[in-house]
Amino acid sequence: MGGLVIVGAALAGLRAVEAARRAGYEGPITLLGAEKHVPYDRPPLSKAYLTDGAPVDYYREERAIREGLDVDLRLGVTAEGLDTTVKTVRTDAGEVPYDRLIIATGAFPRVLPGIPDLDGIVTLRTADDAELLRSRIAEGAHVVVLGAGFVGSEIASSARHLGAHVTIAEAAEAPLVRALGPVVGAALAQLHPRNGTRLLLATRITEYLGTDRIQSVRLSTGETVAADLVVIGIGAAPATAWLAGSGVELHPDDGGVVCDEQLRTSAPDVFAAGDVVHWPNAALGRTMRLENWTNAADQGARAGVNAAVPARAQAHTTVPYFWSDWYGKRIQFVGTAEAEAVEFVSGGPKDDRFVALFRSGDHLVGAATLDEPRRIMKLRRLIADGASYTAGVDFVTAAAAV
Amino acid sequence: MPGTLRVVVDRSRCTGIGICESVQPLRYEVGDDGTLAVLDDVVPEEDRATAEEAIFGCPASALSLIREGD
């Protein structure tokens, strides 16, 4: 009599609850969240929350979740283990039995070994992290960001907006290669120097200097850079340590949860959704793990229906979509950057607006745009329809001619 | 007789992310400047489920459904 239990009270977990109820599931639902907050929107934490003093944007009031959706919401409860034979989640607040389970524990920021415990060295994932970050970024502050990925780049952009001196140190020769490929990654990285952020590629932090508080960092180039704040933005890893020994198959590369098309894990009646999931995505014919808002929302909803109303279970297929805002400009991406070739079809890598298309065989498989919001969803649809690369180019150039 | 169902955009929340356009391309279009245009705001009953999918899917919670006369 455990009903549906969802571990993880962020976007994917909340969407699972909402979709299960919308699909007509009337049984009990328990939603466990490690944070003390009700589910909130994470993307603004590196943007408007820092720059505009915006409040944390909660998706729903606590009462709307407890009463409106009839959910046993347990916040500040951390899952510590899973027993798939007796169907129980072990938590720091006791055991929670389930009939069907959805794993939606997301990801946590990666850190590197050897980073000392100094005040002013932070990561960003949660609202509490963002609150600390907001209190430290100010006009004239020296901010060093380790990693030129999306989170690091958005924080750099926000810190510049607030008048801070910003340096980004990125270990790779080109940033954002996994998400955007080297060509588009390099083009977008140039937004940093164009907006007053110092971007150092192929550069590591070799030493963190300061007694109680961080004061400066030494770089692999030998240079020392003043630092009132160091933000570690080197990516995220699936939060699945609690699944060790549970029988739920984890991916050997990163510990993500291995799922089938319908988001079922290797354990009976256990599903997964969001940043933790590796699954075969029929829309692009490949297995992927995605860390973005759109996927967490859609995959959460799909897992909610599949777990709660098995008669309506379907495969999760999607053309991935994510966006990011840097220096008042909008970056959008659809599809995959794992492609044979990429080409700027409208604008170029140094322009304020561009469209770049990704080709695999004869097919259009991805599109990246900078400040071209009218085009991106049409390109997403072309990819979903299996359009040829030529059709993608024709669409962009025809639109340019109008 | 119930009034007409319409979608409304909260302009203070919409940032033109475009998920609505992805779900209902004939109803929504994000413009070159990121402003969302609603090409057709009337939601016939047979289109309601898809319309709700777009509304429900908005990352900015900027869309809602109203019944005229309410």
Side-chain angles (χ1 to χ4, degrees), chain A residues 35-37 40-42 45 49 56-58 124-133:
Chain A
E35 291 180 62
K36 65 179 191 286
H37 302 275
Y40 56 87
D41 201 23
R42 286 194 207 280
L45 295 181
Y49 181 87
V56 174
D57 193 0
Y58 296 104
L124 176 59
R125 177 76 184 181
T126 66
D128 294 344
D129 296 339
E131 191 181 358
L132 174 65
L133 196 55

PDB file of all heavy atoms in Angstrom, chain A residues 35-37 40-42 45 49 56-58 124-133:
ATOM      1  N   GLU A  35      15.961  18.813  -0.397  1.00  0.00           N
ATOM      2  CA  GLU A  35      16.011  20.217  -0.011  1.00  0.00           C
ATOM      3  C   GLU A  35      14.785  20.563   0.834  1.00  0.00           C
ATOM      4  O   GLU A  35      13.771  19.880   0.790  1.00  0.00           O
ATOM      5  CB  GLU A  35      16.036  21.102  -1.265  1.00  0.00           C
ATOM      6  CG  GLU A  35      17.329  20.989  -2.058  1.00  0.00           C
ATOM      7  CD  GLU A  35      17.295  21.892  -3.284  1.00  0.00           C
ATOM      8  OE1 GLU A  35      17.197  23.106  -3.108  1.00  0.00           O
ATOM      9  OE2 GLU A  35      17.341  21.368  -4.405  1.00  0.00           O
ATOM     10  N   LYS A  36      14.899  21.672   1.572  1.00  0.00           N
ATOM     11  CA  LYS A  36      13.772  22.082   2.409  1.00  0.00           C
ATOM     12  C   LYS A  36      12.718  22.848   1.601  1.00  0.00           C
ATOM     13  O   LYS A  36      11.633  23.117   2.089  1.00  0.00           O
ATOM     14  CB  LYS A  36      14.258  22.932   3.590  1.00  0.00           C
ATOM     15  CG  LYS A  36      14.869  24.263   3.190  1.00  0.00           C
ATOM     16  CD  LYS A  36      15.306  25.048   4.429  1.00  0.00           C
ATOM     17  CE  LYS A  36      15.679  26.485   4.090  1.00  0.00           C
ATOM     18  NZ  LYS A  36      16.991  26.597   3.402  1.00  0.00           N
ATOM     19  N   HIS A  37      13.062  23.189   0.342  1.00  0.00           N
ATOM     20  CA  HIS A  37      12.164  23.988  -0.491  1.00  0.00           C
ATOM     21  C   HIS A  37      11.157  23.119  -1.237  1.00  0.00           C
ATOM     22  O   HIS A  37      11.477  22.014  -1.658  1.00  0.00           O
ATOM     23  CB  HIS A  37      12.964  24.752  -1.548  1.00  0.00           C
ATOM     24  CG  HIS A  37      14.009  25.665  -0.976  1.00  0.00           C
ATOM     25  ND1 HIS A  37      13.732  26.941  -0.570  1.00  0.00           N
ATOM     26  CD2 HIS A  37      15.321  25.473  -0.743  1.00  0.00           C
ATOM     27  CE1 HIS A  37      14.840  27.508  -0.101  1.00  0.00           C
ATOM     28  NE2 HIS A  37      15.822  26.631  -0.196  1.00  0.00           N
ATOM     29  N   TYR A  40      11.166  24.351  -7.231  1.00  0.00           N
ATOM     30  CA  TYR A  40      11.335  25.705  -7.768  1.00  0.00           C
ATOM     31  C   TYR A  40      12.090  25.636  -9.079  1.00  0.00           C
ATOM     32  O   TYR A  40      12.694  24.617  -9.432  1.00  0.00           O
ATOM     33  CB  TYR A  40      12.085  26.594  -6.771  1.00  0.00           C
ATOM     34  CG  TYR A  40      13.432  26.046  -6.345  1.00  0.00           C
ATOM     35  CD1 TYR A  40      14.588  26.309  -7.079  1.00  0.00           C
ATOM     36  CD2 TYR A  40      13.539  25.238  -5.222  1.00  0.00           C
ATOM     37  CE1 TYR A  40      15.810  25.797  -6.697  1.00  0.00           C
ATOM     38  CE2 TYR A  40      14.763  24.714  -4.829  1.00  0.00           C
ATOM     39  CZ  TYR A  40      15.895  25.001  -5.570  1.00  0.00           C
ATOM     40  OH  TYR A  40      17.117  24.470  -5.197  1.00  0.00           O
ATOM     41  N   ASP A  41      12.062  26.756  -9.803  1.00  0.00           N
ATOM     42  CA  ASP A  41      12.651  26.832 -11.133  1.00  0.00           C
ATOM     43  C   ASP A  41      14.146  27.129 -11.009  1.00  0.00           C
ATOM     44  O   ASP A  41      14.527  28.177 -10.477  1.00  0.00           O
ATOM     45  CB  ASP A  41      11.949  27.960 -11.905  1.00  0.00           C
ATOM     46  CG  ASP A  41      12.104  27.818 -13.400  1.00  0.00           C
ATOM     47  OD1 ASP A  41      12.353  26.688 -13.868  1.00  0.00           O
ATOM     48  OD2 ASP A  41      11.968  28.831 -14.105  1.00  0.00           O
ATOM     49  N   ARG A  42      14.979  26.219 -11.517  1.00  0.00           N
ATOM     50  CA  ARG A  42      16.425  26.423 -11.361  1.00  0.00           C
ATOM     51  C   ARG A  42      17.054  27.391 -12.369  1.00  0.00           C
ATOM     52  O   ARG A  42      17.987  28.103 -12.013  1.00  0.00           O
ATOM     53  CB  ARG A  42      17.167  25.083 -11.444  1.00  0.00           C
ATOM     54  CG  ARG A  42      17.008  24.219 -10.218  1.00  0.00           C
ATOM     55  CD  ARG A  42      18.030  23.078 -10.226  1.00  0.00           C
ATOM     56  NE  ARG A  42      17.534  21.945  -9.486  1.00  0.00           N
ATOM     57  CZ  ARG A  42      17.562  21.837  -8.154  1.00  0.00           C
ATOM     58  NH1 ARG A  42      18.071  22.796  -7.437  1.00  0.00           N
ATOM     59  NH2 ARG A  42      17.070  20.776  -7.556  1.00  0.00           N
ATOM     60  N   LEU A  45      18.343  30.864 -11.388  1.00  0.00           N
ATOM     61  CA  LEU A  45      19.285  31.021 -10.278  1.00  0.00           C
ATOM     62  C   LEU A  45      20.626  31.580 -10.729  1.00  0.00           C
ATOM     63  O   LEU A  45      21.324  32.234  -9.957  1.00  0.00           O
ATOM     64  CB  LEU A  45      19.521  29.680  -9.570  1.00  0.00           C
ATOM     65  CG  LEU A  45      18.311  29.065  -8.856  1.00  0.00           C
ATOM     66  CD1 LEU A  45      18.711  27.764  -8.193  1.00  0.00           C
ATOM     67  CD2 LEU A  45      17.705  30.024  -7.844  1.00  0.00           C
ATOM     68  N   TYR A  49      17.826  35.762 -10.851  1.00  0.00           N
ATOM     69  CA  TYR A  49      17.947  35.717  -9.386  1.00  0.00           C
ATOM     70  C   TYR A  49      19.176  36.502  -8.943  1.00  0.00           C
ATOM     71  O   TYR A  49      19.152  37.192  -7.927  1.00  0.00           O
ATOM     72  CB  TYR A  49      18.029  34.268  -8.911  1.00  0.00           C
ATOM     73  CG  TYR A  49      18.135  34.140  -7.401  1.00  0.00           C
ATOM     74  CD1 TYR A  49      16.999  34.094  -6.601  1.00  0.00           C
ATOM     75  CD2 TYR A  49      19.386  34.079  -6.775  1.00  0.00           C
ATOM     76  CE1 TYR A  49      17.092  33.994  -5.222  1.00  0.00           C
ATOM     77  CE2 TYR A  49      19.495  33.984  -5.402  1.00  0.00           C
ATOM     78  CZ  TYR A  49      18.342  33.945  -4.624  1.00  0.00           C
ATOM     79  OH  TYR A  49      18.447  33.851  -3.261  1.00  0.00           O
ATOM     80  N   VAL A  56      13.087  33.457  -5.374  1.00  0.00           N
ATOM     81  CA  VAL A  56      13.032  32.078  -5.875  1.00  0.00           C
ATOM     82  C   VAL A  56      11.633  31.836  -6.428  1.00  0.00           C
ATOM     83  O   VAL A  56      10.636  32.195  -5.804  1.00  0.00           O
ATOM     84  CB  VAL A  56      13.350  31.068  -4.745  1.00  0.00           C
ATOM     85  CG1 VAL A  56      13.140  29.640  -5.231  1.00  0.00           C
ATOM     86  CG2 VAL A  56      14.776  31.257  -4.258  1.00  0.00           C
ATOM     87  N   ASP A  57      11.563  31.269  -7.627  1.00  0.00           N
ATOM     88  CA  ASP A  57      10.286  31.075  -8.307  1.00  0.00           C
ATOM     89  C   ASP A  57       9.787  29.652  -8.040  1.00  0.00           C
ATOM     90  O   ASP A  57      10.211  28.708  -8.694  1.00  0.00           O
ATOM     91  CB  ASP A  57      10.497  31.331  -9.814  1.00  0.00           C
ATOM     92  CG  ASP A  57       9.187  31.472 -10.564  1.00  0.00           C
ATOM     93  OD1 ASP A  57       8.113  31.380  -9.926  1.00  0.00           O
ATOM     94  OD2 ASP A  57       9.233  31.661 -11.788  1.00  0.00           O
ATOM     95  N   TYR A  58       8.899  29.530  -7.054  1.00  0.00           N
ATOM     96  CA  TYR A  58       8.339  28.210  -6.736  1.00  0.00           C
ATOM     97  C   TYR A  58       7.251  27.867  -7.746  1.00  0.00           C
ATOM     98  O   TYR A  58       6.430  28.713  -8.081  1.00  0.00           O
ATOM     99  CB  TYR A  58       7.766  28.202  -5.315  1.00  0.00           C
ATOM    100  CG  TYR A  58       8.831  28.428  -4.267  1.00  0.00           C
ATOM    101  CD1 TYR A  58       8.962  29.653  -3.626  1.00  0.00           C
ATOM    102  CD2 TYR A  58       9.728  27.408  -3.950  1.00  0.00           C
ATOM    103  CE1 TYR A  58       9.959  29.854  -2.681  1.00  0.00           C
ATOM    104  CE2 TYR A  58      10.726  27.608  -3.013  1.00  0.00           C
ATOM    105  CZ  TYR A  58      10.839  28.838  -2.376  1.00  0.00           C
ATOM    106  OH  TYR A  58      11.829  29.035  -1.464  1.00  0.00           O
ATOM    107  N   LEU A 124      27.104  26.083  -7.805  1.00  0.00           N
ATOM    108  CA  LEU A 124      25.710  26.510  -7.922  1.00  0.00           C
ATOM    109  C   LEU A 124      24.843  25.367  -8.424  1.00  0.00           C
ATOM    110  O   LEU A 124      25.042  24.853  -9.525  1.00  0.00           O
ATOM    111  CB  LEU A 124      25.572  27.707  -8.869  1.00  0.00           C
ATOM    112  CG  LEU A 124      24.122  28.161  -9.136  1.00  0.00           C
ATOM    113  CD1 LEU A 124      23.408  28.546  -7.866  1.00  0.00           C
ATOM    114  CD2 LEU A 124      24.084  29.307 -10.134  1.00  0.00           C
ATOM    115  N   ARG A 125      23.887  24.986  -7.583  1.00  0.00           N
ATOM    116  CA  ARG A 125      22.866  24.036  -8.006  1.00  0.00           C
ATOM    117  C   ARG A 125      21.523  24.404  -7.369  1.00  0.00           C
ATOM    118  O   ARG A 125      20.500  24.412  -8.023  1.00  0.00           O
ATOM    119  CB  ARG A 125      23.266  22.612  -7.587  1.00  0.00           C
ATOM    120  CG  ARG A 125      22.240  21.539  -7.918  1.00  0.00           C
ATOM    121  CD  ARG A 125      22.267  21.194  -9.389  1.00  0.00           C
ATOM    122  NE  ARG A 125      21.231  20.244  -9.745  1.00  0.00           N
ATOM    123  CZ  ARG A 125      21.053  19.770 -10.976  1.00  0.00           C
ATOM    124  NH1 ARG A 125      21.857  20.134 -11.944  1.00  0.00           N
ATOM    125  NH2 ARG A 125      20.084  18.930 -11.243  1.00  0.00           N
ATOM    126  N   THR A 126      21.580  24.720  -6.077  1.00  0.00           N
ATOM    127  CA  THR A 126      20.338  24.885  -5.323  1.00  0.00           C
ATOM    128  C   THR A 126      20.062  26.363  -5.037  1.00  0.00           C
ATOM    129  O   THR A 126      20.917  27.233  -5.208  1.00  0.00           O
ATOM    130  CB  THR A 126      20.432  24.157  -3.976  1.00  0.00           C
ATOM    131  OG1 THR A 126      21.425  24.810  -3.178  1.00  0.00           O
ATOM    132  CG2 THR A 126      20.816  22.698  -4.160  1.00  0.00           C
ATOM    133  N   ALA A 127      18.863  26.615  -4.557  1.00  0.00           N
ATOM    134  CA  ALA A 127      18.471  27.975  -4.173  1.00  0.00           C
ATOM    135  C   ALA A 127      19.370  28.482  -3.047  1.00  0.00           C
ATOM    136  O   ALA A 127      19.702  29.673  -3.005  1.00  0.00           O
ATOM    137  CB  ALA A 127      17.007  27.989  -3.736  1.00  0.00           C
ATOM    138  N   ASP A 128      19.759  27.589  -2.142  1.00  0.00           N
ATOM    139  CA  ASP A 128      20.638  28.016  -1.046  1.00  0.00           C
ATOM    140  C   ASP A 128      22.014  28.413  -1.585  1.00  0.00           C
ATOM    141  O   ASP A 128      22.604  29.394  -1.137  1.00  0.00           O
ATOM    142  CB  ASP A 128      20.769  26.901   0.001  1.00  0.00           C
ATOM    143  CG  ASP A 128      19.436  26.628   0.711  1.00  0.00           C
ATOM    144  OD1 ASP A 128      18.540  27.480   0.614  1.00  0.00           O
ATOM    145  OD2 ASP A 128      19.308  25.559   1.333  1.00  0.00           O
ATOM    146  N   ASP A 129      22.523  27.648  -2.568  1.00  0.00           N
ATOM    147  CA  ASP A 129      23.786  28.024  -3.218  1.00  0.00           C
ATOM    148  C   ASP A 129      23.664  29.413  -3.838  1.00  0.00           C
ATOM    149  O   ASP A 129      24.567  30.247  -3.744  1.00  0.00           O
ATOM    150  CB  ASP A 129      24.143  27.057  -4.361  1.00  0.00           C
ATOM    151  CG  ASP A 129      24.398  25.632  -3.898  1.00  0.00           C
ATOM    152  OD1 ASP A 129      24.694  25.432  -2.706  1.00  0.00           O
ATOM    153  OD2 ASP A 129      24.294  24.719  -4.748  1.00  0.00           O
ATOM    154  N   ALA A 130      22.530  29.634  -4.518  1.00  0.00           N
ATOM    155  CA  ALA A 130      22.338  30.900  -5.236  1.00  0.00           C
ATOM    156  C   ALA A 130      22.267  32.076  -4.275  1.00  0.00           C
ATOM    157  O   ALA A 130      22.750  33.165  -4.581  1.00  0.00           O
ATOM    158  CB  ALA A 130      21.068  30.834  -6.095  1.00  0.00           C
ATOM    159  N   GLU A 131      21.671  31.843  -3.119  1.00  0.00           N
ATOM    160  CA  GLU A 131      21.567  32.912  -2.120  1.00  0.00           C
ATOM    161  C   GLU A 131      22.958  33.347  -1.667  1.00  0.00           C
ATOM    162  O   GLU A 131      23.262  34.540  -1.558  1.00  0.00           O
ATOM    163  CB  GLU A 131      20.732  32.413  -0.939  1.00  0.00           C
ATOM    164  CG  GLU A 131      20.354  33.514   0.021  1.00  0.00           C
ATOM    165  CD  GLU A 131      19.539  32.983   1.189  1.00  0.00           C
ATOM    166  OE1 GLU A 131      19.236  31.770   1.243  1.00  0.00           O
ATOM    167  OE2 GLU A 131      19.226  33.798   2.077  1.00  0.00           O
ATOM    168  N   LEU A 132      23.818  32.360  -1.442  1.00  0.00           N
ATOM    169  CA  LEU A 132      25.191  32.667  -1.035  1.00  0.00           C
ATOM    170  C   LEU A 132      25.907  33.434  -2.150  1.00  0.00           C
ATOM    171  O   LEU A 132      26.569  34.447  -1.920  1.00  0.00           O
ATOM    172  CB  LEU A 132      25.936  31.367  -0.700  1.00  0.00           C
ATOM    173  CG  LEU A 132      27.421  31.496  -0.389  1.00  0.00           C
ATOM    174  CD1 LEU A 132      27.639  32.303   0.881  1.00  0.00           C
ATOM    175  CD2 LEU A 132      28.058  30.113  -0.239  1.00  0.00           C
ATOM    176  N   LEU A 133      25.736  32.922  -3.383  1.00  0.00           N
ATOM    177  CA  LEU A 133      26.392  33.538  -4.528  1.00  0.00           C
ATOM    178  C   LEU A 133      25.939  34.998  -4.681  1.00  0.00           C
ATOM    179  O   LEU A 133      26.755  35.899  -4.883  1.00  0.00           O
ATOM    180  CB  LEU A 133      26.030  32.721  -5.774  1.00  0.00           C
ATOM    181  CG  LEU A 133      26.837  32.879  -7.039  1.00  0.00           C
ATOM    182  CD1 LEU A 133      28.306  32.628  -6.787  1.00  0.00           C
ATOM    183  CD2 LEU A 133      26.320  31.893  -8.096  1.00  0.00           C
TER     184      LEU A 133
END
